[in-house]
Amino acid sequence: MKQSARVVVMLLELFLLGNAMLIAFLMCSWMESDAFAYSASELDWWELAVKRFLLLSVLSVIASAIVWKINKQLFAWSGFKNEQLPVITARITLVSLCVAGLVGAVIFAVTKPYM
């Protein structure tokens, strides 16, 4: 019973992380309005990309803290032996979201998408 609970927990973790990474990517690479695009210089696009990435970084730290808190109890309930696993998954969450956001921010600054 505990083995199947562990499998379900890990699949759910991977599913949620994948969705969070997609949201992080879109948050940093989504289009900007025409009003900004017509008056923006090259530096303005990079500045907005950095602002988006910094906001995402703060949100990633908050999300990883939530993941750590939830996983600490969830992994104890499902019978994982490694007590460092919640910390490891929180770090993976933080790095994954930041990398997805960084890729999105660079794509945003390079392609300059607008409506």
Side-chain angles (χ1 to χ4, degrees):
M1 181 65 177
K2 290 288 184 180
Q3 181 68 22
S4 60
R6 282 184 240 161
V7 170
V8 169
V9 166
M10 291 312 290
L11 288 175
L12 181 64
E13 292 272 335
L14 288 173
F15 174 75
L16 292 175
L17 180 61
N19 283 320
M21 287 175 64
L22 176 64
I23 290 169
F25 174 79
L26 291 175
M27 185 177 156
C28 286
S29 67
W30 198 249
M31 293 184 276
E32 190 53 50
S33 66
D34 289 339
F36 173 80
Y38 292 141
S39 63
S41 68
E42 181 74 26
L43 186 60
D44 292 335
W45 286 95
W46 283 99
E47 183 179 316
L48 185 59
V50 168
K51 286 179 184 178
R52 288 181 177 194
F53 177 70
L54 290 177
L55 174 64
L56 178 85
S57 297
V58 170
L59 294 175
S60 297
V61 169
I62 294 169
S64 65
I66 292 170
V67 165
W68 173 76
K69 181 100 170 136
I70 290 172
N71 282 349
K72 193 173 178 182
Q73 297 171 357
L74 188 63
F75 290 165
W77 171 80
S78 59
F80 282 99
K81 302 289 188 230
N82 188 352
E83 292 186 14
Q84 292 297 318
L85 199 54
V87 174
I88 293 169
T89 57
R91 287 179 183 166
I92 290 172
T93 301
L94 178 66
V95 170
S96 299
L97 293 178
C98 285
V99 167
L102 182 63
V103 170
V106 169
I107 288 174
F108 173 78
V110 170
T111 60
K112 301 172 188 63
Y114 62 95
M115 297 178 176

